[in-house]
Amino acid sequence: MAMANQSSETSALVHQQMFKVELNEGPLSKLVVAILMSLFFTCINSIMFHTLMSKPVFRELPRYILFAHMLCNDSVQLIVSMLLYLLSLNVQLIPKATCAGIVLVGVTTFFNAALNLAVMSLERYVAICFPLRHSEMVTRKTAGVSIVFIWLFSLISISIDLIYGLIVSPVSFKDPMFCTRQRFFLSPWQIDVFQGFNIFFFVTVTAILIFTYINVVVAARSASAEKESAKKAHKTILLHLVQLVLCVNTFIYGTIERALAMTSSTRLFMDLCYLNFLFVLILPRCLSPLIYGLRDDAVRPLFLYYVRCGTQKVKPSVTEHL
């Protein structure tokens, strides 16, 4: 436990020193770009969510329910990521209990994103490979159960660390701390569990995406009547794989980042942190409305109508392409 605590303290100290340098020497434009990107894509997700909620047909179909959940989850992830980034830049110490709540939401929504991709891919797989049974296998109820399962599974990893921390040192939750996920590792076994869970989690999700992609591609080649919809489905799943790769990069990059914090120059470390935040944390959240919203013939006209604030009288046939 002492070794884990010492490692956590050292890492936090290095990060604090780095962020102080960035705040004093780095250009303000980086912070402005990061904030504007987060706000912009949060607004886009909000408009897309409003679009889905504006028509009853979107609220009834499972694929749009899952898409709406993805939009909400990604928006929360964007806000939490931006909050942690701002706290880091200001080297702000906050109570451990407050940090625990922020980290709980951040970690859970991060895992939710990957699981939601897997469930949406499975829905497309059933729709293309079992079209006659799709309506009975994929319902509004199964979509709701899937969302509950997604949240419960995503809570496992961080809940273990928080519960262990409450058992070992409940008083420490009143103390101010530099808010990072690593500060909740109190024993070496927690790091092992964390890494093992991540490997199992992403291997499972990747296997699901590859399985659905291969089967949908086969269906696209063999079924002439549904060939167009199958092609769209396998392109969507392929884009899901790209999103998943970006999610996995967070863990790979985190290891490299910690090594660079000890060996490389301050400026290089901060530049890599900034690129990590923009392209690994923000970018995957930005792909969601593009993949499922703008590519959807039923959603796109209505979304553009709301983006233009209703200045152009667009009357899309919502049910035409469903």
Side-chain angles (χ1 to χ4, degrees):
M1 182 183 298
M3 292 178 61
N5 281 328
Q6 184 178 3
S7 175
S8 179
E9 295 290 339
T10 303
S11 177
L13 178 61
V14 171
H15 278 72
Q16 289 179 23
Q17 292 171 344
M18 296 296 183
F19 287 125
K20 282 180 180 178
V21 173
E22 175 72 10
L23 196 61
N24 293 332
E25 301 177 4
L28 184 62
S29 59
K30 283 186 177 182
L31 179 59
V32 173
V33 169
I35 293 176
L36 290 180
M37 280 188 65
S38 298
L39 292 177
F40 174 74
F41 287 108
T42 300
C43 290
I44 292 296
N45 286 353
S46 300
I47 296 173
M48 187 70 75
F49 181 78
H50 175 71
T51 300
L52 295 179
M53 293 297 103
S54 64
K55 297 294 181 181
V57 65
F58 292 139
R59 299 195 296 268
E60 295 293 329
L61 293 176
R63 63 172 166 150
Y64 292 113
I65 294 174
L66 292 170
F67 179 41
H69 174 254
M70 174 185 284
L71 291 171
C72 291
N73 184 81
D74 287 355
S75 298
V76 172
Q77 175 70 17
L78 274 173
I79 294 171
V80 172
S81 298
M82 193 69 246
L83 177 60
L84 289 172
Y85 186 70
L86 290 174
L87 289 173
S88 298
L89 283 178
N90 289 281
V91 200
Q92 184 67 47
L93 300 179
I94 62 175
K96 189 174 182 179
T98 303
C99 177
I102 297 174
V103 170
L104 175 69
V105 175
V107 172
T108 304
T109 52
F110 173 76
F111 283 113
N112 282 352
L115 276 178
N116 209 81
L117 291 176
V119 174
M120 293 175 79
S121 297
L122 285 172
E123 187 276 331
R124 289 292 82 200
Y125 162 73
V126 174
I128 300 303
C129 298
F130 305 97
L132 299 179
R133 300 188 57 193
H134 179 258
S135 59
E136 69 174 270
M137 293 176 65
V138 183
T139 63
R140 190 177 178 183
K141 181 179 179 181
T142 57
V145 172
S146 298
I147 292 172
V148 172
F149 170 79
I150 287 171
W151 278 89
L152 290 177
F153 194 82
S154 298
L155 280 167
I156 293 175
S157 176
I158 185 63
S159 296
I160 292 174
D161 295 327
L162 295 182
I163 293 172
Y164 181 72
L166 284 170
I167 294 174
V168 173
S169 181
V171 180
S172 66
F173 277 75
K174 298 179 181 178
D175 300 333
M177 63 177 291
F178 182 71
C179 191
T180 64
R181 171 72 170 88
Q182 288 73 23
R183 297 303 298 275
F184 292 93
F185 293 143
L186 304 180
S187 297
W189 67 263
Q190 289 178 271
I191 300 176
D192 295 334
V193 171
F194 172 75
Q195 293 174 343
F197 181 85
N198 290 342
I199 293 172
F200 171 78
F201 182 89
F202 282 103
V203 166
T204 302
V205 173
T206 302
I208 291 173
L209 290 176
I210 293 175
F211 169 80
T212 55
Y213 177 75
I214 292 174
N215 281 274
V216 168
V217 168
V218 171
R221 292 178 176 177
S222 60
S224 57
E226 297 293 330
K227 197 169 184 179
E228 188 62 30
S229 60
K231 283 183 177 180
K232 288 184 178 180
H234 93 254
K235 288 180 181 178
T236 299
I237 296 173
L238 182 61
L239 289 171
H240 285 174
L241 283 167
V242 175
Q243 283 183 284
L244 184 66
V245 169
L246 292 173
C247 289
V248 174
N249 283 344
T250 301
F251 296 100
I252 300 174
Y253 192 92
T255 303
I256 299 174
E257 187 180 82
R258 285 191 292 273
L260 288 171
M262 302 297 180
T263 60
S264 297
S265 67
T266 299
R267 177 56 53 200
L268 176 60
F269 174 77
M270 291 314 306
D271 288 340
L272 289 173
C273 284
Y274 183 73
L275 292 175
N276 183 44
F277 177 75
L278 290 183
F279 294 104
V280 178
L281 291 180
I282 292 184
L283 182 60
R285 312 283 89 81
C286 308
L287 292 176
S288 300
L290 175 63
I291 292 175
Y292 255 81
L294 297 181
R295 292 180 68 248
D296 192 292
D297 295 332
V299 175
R300 184 176 59 254
L302 195 57
F303 170 73
L304 295 176
Y305 172 78
Y306 286 118
V307 168
R308 295 163 182 161
C309 301
T311 55
Q312 296 184 9
K313 299 299 181 181
V314 179
K315 295 181 180 181
S317 178
V318 175
T319 59
E320 180 179 354
H321 301 285
L322 299 183

